[in-house]
């Protein structure tokens, strides 16, 4: 869908490039996560991809055609879901959506979308009366109202309760299921783990890692199993033991331990995306 | 529906909901008050002066107000990723602004028609308002681009008013008699605006009318090109994805 080759970008007032030669591809029908701490160039990359910045070097293609060659019709098939509210507060949700729908050739059934996200009953309320979570859900509906093929989502579940976050995540999966492509930016690694097919970690204007969440976990995790067991002494002391996952079934020490000791917990030592985020981006050092 | 029409009607709807049109009508009532308290019965000469203030300062202010609402509420971001061109955005906003000025014209004209004496070329003043308001709407865009906040915008407008508008008003009232300054005023767009509006009441030389039209039309064209180019910078700054 998108191919980015050696993308570099410098803001006019900056001394050095914000984007320092990144290359990646967003494949059609995948959910691609763009992750990293604040200020590393994620937003700038998104701005380039949604054609808000065009003074870049390198090559960006959309559907194998230079992005710069697209006119305003590019937005007919693109939906952008912003993190912050982007609606006219003195208009109702319905009035907002009706206004924006008129700008597109293709329109989704916004009543159905409002029902899905639980805003249908509130559609005639002014947006100023909406809570933060309701505004976030309305942003999501706004992003979908033109039946886009490509969706850019910035923290789509931010500020939502678990029930509504689940609804939004299910809708993103459905969008993908119907052939849609998504570029997702979020700090919630559980969302990334659940939704993304591939993720790219950005650090200081460069991509430091790009792979599937599963491969990243395998790469950065330890291939070990941790066993917590009770020592058969008078005070029931808890002890830990670690074993390599490789040929675990042949490991006599391991087999002896699980045969003879009372096991309290047993865990494989694979890592999670939170840990990978910290490790790859060095966020603890920088922020 | 054509995008300009969608944006234009949307702009008018929001001007109503955000009470911007209401504020414009209140200003019209102030001008009616001025006409009411003036002792002269034939208001043909004072009429263009009131519309001069309205079509220049209100045009700049309205653009600033609506754009600051869009910045404040983040709606500018979502407009920037909609299938509209910057030309459609700029023109629709300016047209909605002109409508507000035209409403003021008709409110004032109706009052003058019923309660005072007035003899002006209505079509002439209508066209003059369109040209003057469009030019000053573009000035409003420029001021908004370079204003950090609403106070900054008001300061910019005040500077424009003191440098460009007030000297022309003083000259109109005969308070500036220096020949050099009078000639110098032909260089400012507000003088061209005043002449064009006054032409509807008569007493303006033909060459002054042609000069004013040429000034404002060419000025608007050049200003439009600058506003359009600067819009990209503004868009990049406001997009904040």
């Amino acid at each position: 869908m998108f191919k980015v080759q050696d993308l570099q970008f410098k803001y006019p007032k900056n001394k050095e490039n914000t984007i320092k030669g990144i290359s990646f591809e967003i494949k059609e029908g995948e959910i691609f996560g763009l992750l990293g701490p604040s200020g590393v160039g994620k937003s700038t990359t998104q701005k380039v991809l949604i054609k808000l910045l065009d003074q870049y070097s390198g090559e960006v293609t959309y559907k194998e055609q230079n992005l710069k060659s697209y006119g305003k019709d590019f937005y007919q098939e693109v939906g952008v879901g912003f993190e912050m509210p982007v609606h006219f507060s003195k208009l109702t949700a319905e009035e907002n959506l009706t206004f924006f729908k008129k700008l597109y050739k293709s329109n989704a059934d916004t009543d159905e979308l409002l029902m899905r996200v639980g805003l249908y009953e509130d559609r005639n309320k002014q947006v100023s009366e909406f809570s933060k979570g309701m505004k976030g859900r309305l942003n999501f509906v706004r992003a979908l109202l033109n039946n886009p093929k490509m969706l850019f989502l910035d923290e789509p579940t931010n500020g939502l309760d678990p029930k509504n976050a689940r609804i939004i995540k299910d809708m993103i999966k459905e969008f993908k299921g119907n052939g849609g492509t998504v570029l997702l930016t979020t700090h919630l690694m559980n969302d990334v783990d659940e939704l993304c097919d591939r993720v790219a970690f950005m650090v200081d204007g460069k991509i430091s890692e790009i792979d599937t969440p599963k491969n990243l976990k395998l790469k950065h995790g330890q291939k070990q199993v941790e066993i917590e067991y009770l020592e058969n002494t008078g005070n029931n002391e808890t002890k830990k033991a670690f074993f390599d996952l490789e040929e675990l079934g042949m490991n006599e020490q391991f087999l002896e331990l699980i045969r003879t000791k009372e096991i309290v917990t047993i865990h494989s030592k694979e890592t999670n995306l939170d840990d990978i985020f910290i490790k790859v981006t060095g966020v603890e050092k920088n922020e | 529906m054509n995008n300009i029409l969608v944006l234009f009607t949307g702009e008018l709807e929001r001007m109503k909901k955000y009470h911007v049109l209401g504020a414009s009508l209140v200003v019209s009532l102030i001008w009616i008050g001025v006409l009411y308290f003036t002792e002269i019965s034939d208001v043909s000469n004072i009429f263009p002066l009131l519309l001069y203030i309205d079509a220049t300062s209100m045009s700049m202010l309205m653009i600033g107000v609506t754009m600051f609402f869009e910045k404040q509420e983040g709606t500018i971001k979502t407009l920037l990723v909609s299938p509209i061109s910057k030309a459609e955005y700029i023109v629709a906003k300016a047209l909605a602004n002109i409508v507000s000025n035209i409403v003021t014209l008709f409110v004032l004209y109706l009052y003058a028609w019923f309660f005072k004496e007035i003899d002006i070329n209505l079509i002439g003043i209508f066209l003059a308002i369109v040209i003057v308001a469009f030019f000053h709407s573009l000035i409003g865009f420029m001021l908004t681009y370079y204003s950090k906040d609403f106070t900054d915008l008001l300061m910019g407008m005040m500077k424009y008013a003191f440098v460009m508008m007030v000297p022309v008003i003083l000259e109109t009232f005969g308070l500036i008699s220096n020949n050099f300054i009078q000639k110098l005023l032909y260089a400012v767009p507000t003088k061209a605006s005043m002449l064009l509006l006054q032409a509807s009441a008569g007493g303006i030389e033909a060459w002054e009318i042609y000069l004013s039209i040429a000034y404002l039309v060419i000025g608007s064209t050049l200003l439009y090109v600058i506003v359009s180019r600067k819009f990209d910078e503004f868009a990049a700054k406001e997009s904040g994805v």
Side-chain angles (χ1 to χ4, degrees):
Chain A
M1 201 79 163
F2 271 103
K3 260 188 192 165
V4 178
Q5 283 290 328
D6 193 27
L7 175 67
Q8 298 186 45
F9 181 84
K10 187 166 93 67
Y11 286 102
K13 288 178 184 170
N14 287 9
K15 282 181 183 167
E16 62 175 66
N17 284 357
T18 301
I19 307 289
K20 298 168 181 169
I22 61 172
S23 300
F24 64 96
E25 183 182 357
I26 303 173
K27 293 172 186 158
E28 191 163 357
E30 79 170 343
I31 302 180
F32 186 87
L34 194 57
L35 316 172
S38 306
V40 295
K42 300 189 305 286
S43 297
T44 306
T45 306
Q46 273 204 44
K47 282 185 195 180
V48 168
L49 297 187
I50 57 176
K51 281 181 68 64
L52 288 174
L53 297 175
D54 59 1
Q55 300 296 311
Y56 57 84
S57 65
E59 193 182 21
V60 182
T61 57
Y62 175 69
K63 290 184 172 176
E64 295 175 356
Q65 198 180 317
N66 193 325
L67 188 64
K68 286 181 181 173
S69 69
Y70 285 91
K72 61 178 182 173
D73 278 348
F74 169 75
Y75 296 111
Q76 290 288 356
E77 52 184 63
V78 166
V80 183
F82 294 91
E83 184 189 3
M84 304 303 283
V86 288
H87 287 95
F88 298 107
S89 65
K90 300 228 184 250
L91 267 60
T92 66
E94 179 90 50
E95 285 167 341
N96 268 287
L97 296 174
T98 303
F99 168 70
F100 286 111
K101 274 167 84 171
K102 287 178 191 163
L103 299 170
Y104 293 94
K105 289 174 190 161
S106 172
N107 285 164
D109 182 346
T110 45
D111 279 352
E112 193 198 322
L113 290 171
L114 287 170
M115 275 180 214
R116 287 287 306 273
V117 302
L119 289 178
Y120 185 74
E121 300 298 321
D122 302 298
R123 69 191 186 283
N124 292 318
K125 276 188 190 166
Q126 281 194 353
V127 175
S128 58
E129 296 172 43
F130 278 22
S131 67
K132 188 187 172 195
M134 289 164 87
K135 286 175 185 170
R137 283 180 276 155
L138 187 60
N139 277 4
F140 187 68
V141 173
R142 158 72 184 96
L144 290 174
L145 62 71
N146 55 320
N147 290 318
K149 292 187 175 78
M150 176 78 212
L151 199 52
F152 291 86
L153 296 174
D154 189 9
E155 306 283 357
T157 59
N158 193 19
L160 299 186
D161 59 68
K163 184 188 150 206
N164 283 309
R166 167 56 41 214
I167 291 168
I168 298 295
K169 282 191 274 188
D170 286 345
M171 288 175 78
I172 295 170
K173 285 184 202 167
E174 267 175 47
F175 177 79
K176 184 204 162 188
N178 292 328
T181 309
V182 183
L183 177 69
L184 176 71
T185 308
T186 179
H187 286 103
L188 301 173
M189 292 301 126
N190 284 341
D191 286 3
V192 174
D193 214 357
E194 183 182 343
L195 297 170
C196 292
D197 298 298
R198 290 190 307 133
V199 294
F201 284 97
M202 283 190 78
V203 183
D204 190 28
K206 295 174 191 160
I207 289 178
S208 59
E209 285 277 10
I210 184 163
D211 212 330
T212 64
K214 188 182 170 187
N215 285 346
L216 286 170
K217 280 191 266 187
L218 286 172
K219 183 181 170 187
H220 292 276
Q222 292 170 294
K223 290 183 178 174
Q224 280 190 329
V225 63
E226 178 193 304
I227 295 179
E228 213 178 352
Y229 62 95
L230 288 179
E231 190 63 77
N232 295 333
T233 54
N235 57 0
N236 270 354
E237 189 186 354
T238 308
K239 286 196 167 182
K240 280 181 183 177
F242 297 88
F243 300 95
D244 282 343
L245 274 175
E246 215 163 299
E247 296 185 346
L248 187 63
M250 313 289 278
N251 188 322
E252 283 303 326
Q253 266 185 304
F254 168 77
L255 294 172
E256 176 68 15
L257 192 143
I258 59 169
R259 261 198 309 265
T260 59
K261 306 289 182 191
E262 189 180 336
I263 307 297
V264 180
T265 62
I266 182 164
H267 292 293
S268 60
K269 290 292 285 177
E270 64 185 15
T271 189
N272 58 39
L273 284 174
D274 276 325
D275 292 334
I276 297 172
F277 183 96
I278 292 165
K279 188 177 169 186
V280 170
T281 63
V283 73
E284 281 186 329
K285 291 175 199 160
N286 296 336
E287 294 194 341
Chain B
M1 210 196 302
N2 177 287
N3 276 351
I4 288 187
L5 192 57
V6 174
L7 291 169
F8 168 70
T9 51
E11 195 71 32
L12 284 180
E13 188 190 356
R14 290 193 299 279
M15 282 167 82
K16 193 175 124 209
K17 295 255 178 165
Y18 284 78
H19 308 299
V20 177
L21 277 181
S24 176
L25 277 173
V26 170
V27 173
S28 303
L29 292 177
I30 293 170
W31 302 143
I32 285 177
V34 172
L35 291 178
Y36 176 80
F37 287 111
T38 187
E39 286 179 3
I40 47 174
S41 54
D42 187 346
V43 293
S44 303
N45 286 325
I46 195 176
F47 196 80
L49 183 68
L50 297 180
L51 290 170
Y52 163 81
I53 299 169
D54 199 78
T56 53
S57 58
M58 286 302 282
S59 294
M60 293 186 287
L61 184 64
M62 298 273 234
I63 291 288
V65 167
T66 55
M67 283 181 80
F68 267 103
F69 274 132
E70 286 171 8
K71 281 167 80 165
Q72 199 179 336
E73 299 191 333
T75 46
I76 188 83
K77 292 179 193 170
T78 198
L79 283 166
L80 292 171
V81 293
S82 301
I84 56 169
S85 66
K86 55 187 173 186
E88 288 167 340
Y89 176 84
I90 294 165
V91 170
K93 216 170 240 312
L95 284 179
N97 211 5
I98 290 168
V99 165
S100 164
N101 292 119
I102 297 297
V103 169
T104 303
L105 164 68
F106 283 105
V107 168
L108 285 189
Y109 187 79
L110 283 174
Y111 175 81
W113 176 265
F114 283 110
F115 300 105
K116 296 276 181 178
E117 287 172 32
I118 187 162
D119 180 23
I120 56 161
N121 179 340
L122 195 56
I123 293 171
I125 203 162
F126 175 91
L127 293 173
I129 283 177
V130 170
I131 296 170
V132 173
F134 185 71
F135 181 90
H136 284 88
S137 295
L138 295 173
I139 296 275
F141 273 100
M142 291 302 290
L143 289 174
T144 311
Y145 289 168
Y146 291 104
S147 302
K148 287 193 289 284
D149 49 38
F150 194 67
T151 312
D152 214 19
L153 173 79
L154 289 179
M155 288 306 291
M157 276 186 58
M158 292 292 279
K159 285 176 198 163
Y160 185 87
F162 275 113
V163 177
M164 302 285 195
M165 290 169 63
V166 173
V168 174
I169 294 172
L170 292 176
E171 193 221 2
T172 306
F173 281 112
L175 296 171
I176 292 178
S177 53
N178 183 296
N179 197 257
F180 174 72
I181 296 175
Q182 282 179 333
K183 281 184 179 159
L184 195 66
L185 285 177
Y186 282 106
V188 298
T190 39
K191 171 74 178 175
S193 304
M194 179 68 97
L195 286 171
L196 217 49
L197 290 161
Q198 281 180 319
S200 63
I204 305 295
E205 299 284 337
W207 69 268
E208 286 183 308
I209 298 172
Y210 295 134
L211 179 73
S212 301
I213 291 172
Y215 188 116
L216 291 175
V217 169
I218 294 168
S220 294
T221 310
L222 293 174
L223 205 49
Y224 175 80
V225 172
I226 298 167
V227 166
S228 185
R229 282 190 185 160
K230 290 280 173 193
F231 188 84
D232 294 333
E233 278 175 37
F234 173 76
K237 198 171 73 183
E238 295 305 321
S239 58
V241 181

